[in-house]
Amino acid sequence: MIRFIFLLGLCCLSPTILADTGLPAVTVVPNTDGTQSYSITLQVLALMTALSFIPAIVIMMTSFTRIVVVLSILRQAMGLQQSPSNQVIIGLALFLSLFIMSPVLDKINQTALQPYINEQIDAMGALEKAQGPIREFMLSQTRESDIKTFLDIANRDDVTSPELAPMTVLIPAFITSELKTAFQIGFMLFIPFLVIDLVVASVLMAMGMMMLSPMIVSLPFKLMLFVLVDGWSLVMGTLATSFGL
């Protein structure tokens, strides 16, 4: 994957730039153990190219997906169209994801980033060590049935345990499990608001006020219930504890 990113970045460089700077800056040095080390210029180029994958990494390999789906379902259950806005929901999901992923980020910093900064390991070694905490987090949140499903789709009979599943299988299985968990939490959040809507609709129909929308009448009661039970703290706490914190 890293080599593909390197080649993709090189293809984006114009021939004029390569002619001006010269090819010696783009060097690959073989090591004694058979591995390869890339020049600093090439590593920076690969890093800038890899930055475009950060949004996909945040969405597909962290707790972001579950949080943003639950918050969106909560807004729909309360009958609110634009409040909280999408920007607020994304911001809450990002910072709550940072809070939940902080132990994983600390492990990556200790085992991969700091040794790489201190030049104790090379870029490939840092990448391999950084995958460990991420894989551990994803495996803890992924159902074995989902991993088995994608292993069957990929015809990977050689993988005997979920711990040995490649990232190409683990990532879609993780996203599938996250969506399933998010919808389960959203269903539990939807029930009390649905009960309020049913009660209000029944009362309005009994009073003969069939032209009045039950959603308009029930909205203040749903907001009052959510505030009285300290709903935001409960939702945030439930989301955090659902990841084992």
Side-chain angles (χ1 to χ4, degrees):
M1 184 63 183
I2 294 297
R3 294 180 180 177
F4 173 76
I5 295 175
F6 290 159
L7 294 176
L8 182 62
L10 290 177
C11 292
C12 296
L13 294 176
S14 64
T16 305
I17 296 177
L18 291 177
D20 294 339
T21 58
L23 289 177
V26 185
T27 57
V28 180
V29 180
N31 298 324
T32 56
D33 57 354
T35 60
Q36 293 177 335
S37 298
Y38 302 96
S39 66
I40 298 299
T41 304
L42 191 57
Q43 292 178 15
V44 172
L45 175 63
L47 178 61
M48 298 302 295
T49 306
L51 288 178
S52 60
F53 293 94
I54 289 180
I57 293 174
V58 171
I59 294 174
M60 299 299 174
M61 301 176 65
T62 66
S63 58
F64 178 84
T65 300
R66 182 188 305 184
I67 297 171
V68 75
V69 170
V70 170
L71 293 179
S72 299
I73 293 177
L74 175 63
R75 182 176 65 178
Q76 184 70 26
M78 295 179 66
L80 301 172
Q81 300 299 324
Q82 300 296 331
S83 182
S85 63
N86 292 332
Q87 292 85 349
V88 174
I89 289 180
I90 296 298
L92 284 173
L94 282 174
F95 282 98
L96 189 56
S97 298
L98 181 62
F99 171 76
I100 293 172
M101 298 295 296
S102 57
V104 179
L105 297 178
D106 290 340
K107 290 182 181 179
I108 294 176
N109 181 55
Q110 294 174 3
T111 60
L113 182 59
Q114 292 301 323
Y116 177 70
I117 293 176
N118 297 328
E119 298 183 354
Q120 299 175 356
I121 56 177
D122 57 4
M124 298 300 295
L127 180 61
E128 293 178 359
K129 289 183 177 295
Q131 288 185 3
I134 291 291
R135 284 183 58 89
E136 183 179 352
F137 170 79
M138 295 173 65
L139 284 171
S140 65
Q141 305 298 326
T142 306
R143 296 174 175 83
E144 292 187 6
S145 58
D146 293 328
I147 298 178
K148 185 178 183 303
T149 298
F150 284 95
L151 286 175
D152 294 339
I153 295 174
N155 294 323
R156 293 296 302 270
D157 298 333
D158 55 322
V159 180
T160 57
S161 65
E163 290 75 12
L164 301 177
M167 294 296 289
T168 54
V169 171
L170 182 58
I171 292 176
F174 171 74
I175 290 299
T176 304
S177 294
E178 286 293 283
L179 290 174
K180 184 176 182 179
T181 304
F183 275 81
Q184 290 176 344
I185 298 175
F187 171 76
M188 299 302 296
L189 291 174
F190 221 106
I191 291 178
F193 300 110
L194 179 61
V195 171
I196 293 177
D197 287 334
L198 292 175
V199 171
V200 171
S202 301
V203 172
L204 291 178
M205 185 172 293
M207 296 175 62
M209 303 174 65
M210 292 177 292
M211 300 300 295
L212 183 61
S213 174
M215 296 294 296
I216 298 177
V217 180
S218 63
L219 180 58
F221 293 99
K222 291 189 286 188
L223 291 176
M224 181 181 64
L225 173 65
F226 194 72
V227 171
L228 289 177
V229 300
D230 198 8
W232 287 114
S233 296
L234 290 176
V235 171
M236 297 301 176
T238 300
L239 287 172
T241 54
S242 67
F243 289 94
L245 297 182

